[in-house]
Amino acid sequence: METTRQTETWNNPPQENKKIVAGICAILIGGIGVHKFILGYTKEGVIQIILSLISCGVLGIIPFIEGIIYLTKSDAEFYETYQVNKRPWF
């Protein structure tokens, strides 16, 4: 049985997993929505900034929890959930 391996070519670059960067940014500076922008969720990033300003940072617990969730998922599960299926919240 022959298995095929995806090779890197000019028109088929390897997929980038942003799990570590998004998770650490969510934990450290999540109140300003940086982790949302890293994952490509511009609208949700702006919403996160507005919620942080309105609540004077109290809702900063939400990105902290998101960061922990990001870091505890397996690489494949994170990639499938947040980068392929584009699930913006939790």
Side-chain angles (χ1 to χ4, degrees):
M1 177 194 240
E2 184 178 316
T3 58
T4 59
R5 183 175 168 197
Q6 184 178 7
T7 59
E8 181 180 346
T9 61
W10 67 273
N11 63 349
N12 192 14
Q15 296 299 321
E16 180 182 3
N17 194 341
K18 302 174 182 178
K19 172 184 159 181
I20 302 295
V21 175
I24 291 173
C25 285
I27 290 173
L28 297 179
I29 52 175
I32 57 175
V34 172
H35 62 293
K36 297 292 185 186
F37 293 109
I38 289 171
L39 293 173
Y41 304 133
T42 306
K43 180 177 73 172
E44 289 80 5
V46 171
I47 291 170
Q48 186 70 52
I49 293 170
I50 291 170
L51 286 175
S52 183
L53 290 174
I54 289 174
S55 70
C56 297
V58 173
L59 293 178
I61 190 73
I62 293 171
F64 183 79
I65 293 170
E66 281 183 326
I68 293 171
I69 290 171
Y70 291 168
L71 294 174
T72 57
K73 286 186 178 284
S74 69
D75 288 343
E77 187 180 11
F78 177 86
Y79 179 76
E80 188 68 30
T81 304
Y82 298 107
Q83 291 181 253
V84 174
N85 294 332
K86 297 289 186 182
R87 182 177 172 195
W89 298 101
F90 290 96

